[in-house]
Amino acid sequence: MKIKKVVLLIISVFALQTLAFAQDKTKQYWFFWSHRQQLNEKFDLLFDAQSRSEEKLGQFQTLLLRSALAYNFDKFHSLAIGYAYKGDWMEDEGYTYEHRIYQQYQYEFKIKRIEFQLRGRLEERFLHESGNAFSMRTRGFVSAAFPLIADQEFTSGVYAGLQNELFLNILNQKDVNGHLFDQNRPYVSIGYRFSKKVETTFDYGLIADQAYQKRTLISVFRISLNTQF
């Protein structure tokens, strides 16, 4: 139970920090699909895709495609190495893009029926927007899923979710936003698990985003689909 309290405390502290962060406010609408394809007992292929729109739903702004090969030490611990491509359609600057190589460690566990996930990720970023600059960023992620109306094994049913992710620039900060702090992303969710293989959630989040000269608080409305086969 101690781990459970620590995870919830981390989510709560950074969520409160985010609320105190904003100077400018805006909205975004996201669609997020995450897929895990089992190759055998030890290896999985990971893939996710995200589309993001600004306050006008018809104004498509960002596409993110990410894939990885994961090695499972057991049912709790895994390591992965992957590649991501992010493209942005900027109103004033045209189209910009970014290549990323990343490595991640993930730990998944349950306390009673509550599911927890901890993830650490290191990203090597190649930024076209900054004149083909190179930067590195680290990300720490924590989440919890609480069954509300679900079967005893939590293989299907309605659940609530909490999560948070912290982003820190650790190399060549001058080529991104000039700061160690990059972003913080707390979310709350309501979801439905159809089976162990398919689930969907409606998420609301606040992104505290640090730019060179200003701070922005972004309200995010997101639909997520998670599949694994």
Side-chain angles (χ1 to χ4, degrees):
M1 295 301 292
K2 184 177 180 181
I3 296 177
K4 173 183 173 182
K5 292 179 180 178
V6 170
V7 170
L8 296 179
L9 179 62
I10 291 171
I11 295 174
S12 300
V13 167
F14 283 107
L16 291 173
Q17 180 270 341
T18 299
L19 291 173
F21 187 84
Q23 292 179 358
D24 294 341
K25 295 183 179 180
T26 185
K27 294 179 183 178
Q28 290 186 359
Y29 302 90
W30 294 16
F31 175 75
F32 177 41
W33 173 41
S34 177
H35 179 69
R36 177 185 292 265
Q37 183 67 49
Q38 184 179 33
L39 299 179
N40 53 46
E41 290 186 359
K42 288 296 184 182
F43 288 96
D44 293 337
L45 285 177
L46 310 179
F47 174 79
D48 64 77
Q50 296 182 39
S51 66
R52 304 173 186 175
S53 299
E54 283 289 358
E55 296 200 26
K56 296 180 181 179
L57 280 171
Q59 185 179 344
F60 184 75
Q61 183 189 31
T62 298
L63 176 66
L64 176 63
L65 302 173
R66 183 163 43 212
S67 61
L69 177 65
Y71 176 79
N72 304 306
F73 294 97
D74 50 39
K75 64 180 181 179
F76 304 108
H77 306 270
S78 67
L79 284 177
I81 182 168
Y83 165 79
Y85 178 86
K86 179 174 178 284
D88 291 292
W89 286 262
M90 310 295 289
E91 186 173 341
D92 299 326
E93 302 176 22
Y95 181 72
T96 63
Y97 58 88
E98 175 183 338
H99 298 283
R100 299 175 188 169
I101 300 171
Y102 69 95
Q103 305 79 39
Q104 73 177 33
Y105 163 73
Q106 187 162 294
Y107 174 40
E108 299 176 280
F109 62 97
K110 294 178 68 172
I111 298 178
K112 294 185 178 180
R113 299 172 69 211
I114 304 174
E115 297 179 351
F116 294 90
Q117 185 183 112
L118 305 176
R119 184 181 69 217
R121 181 179 292 168
L122 179 66
E123 295 179 328
E124 295 81 42
R125 307 174 66 192
F126 302 86
L127 303 143
H128 171 258
E129 182 181 2
S130 301
N132 296 317
F134 174 76
S135 181
M136 292 180 67
R137 181 170 68 182
T138 186
R139 301 166 57 163
F141 174 89
V142 57
S143 71
F146 305 85
L148 300 177
I149 307 172
D151 60 16
Q152 186 60 36
E153 298 300 319
F154 194 15
T155 57
S156 65
V158 179
Y159 65 95
L162 292 174
Q163 69 178 62
N164 193 66
E165 189 167 20
L166 177 66
F167 297 63
L168 298 176
N169 298 309
I170 59 173
L171 183 67
N172 291 340
Q173 298 169 6
K174 61 180 176 58
D175 292 320
V176 279
N177 64 3
H179 300 270
L180 173 65
F181 179 85
D182 185 37
Q183 293 184 28
N184 191 52
R185 297 180 181 179
Y187 281 90
V188 295
S189 306
I190 186 73
Y192 186 80
R193 181 170 294 176
F194 297 92
S195 68
K196 289 184 176 180
K197 296 182 178 181
V198 181
E199 63 183 45
T200 186
T201 62
F202 175 75
D203 317 305
Y204 173 72
L206 293 171
I207 299 180
D209 184 50
Q210 175 70 64
Y212 276 105
Q213 301 296 333
K214 66 178 182 178
R215 298 173 173 180
T216 302
L217 186 66
I218 305 170
S219 294
V220 176
F221 300 88
R222 183 178 70 183
I223 295 175
S224 299
L225 174 66
N226 300 309
T227 57
Q228 52 183 336
F229 297 104

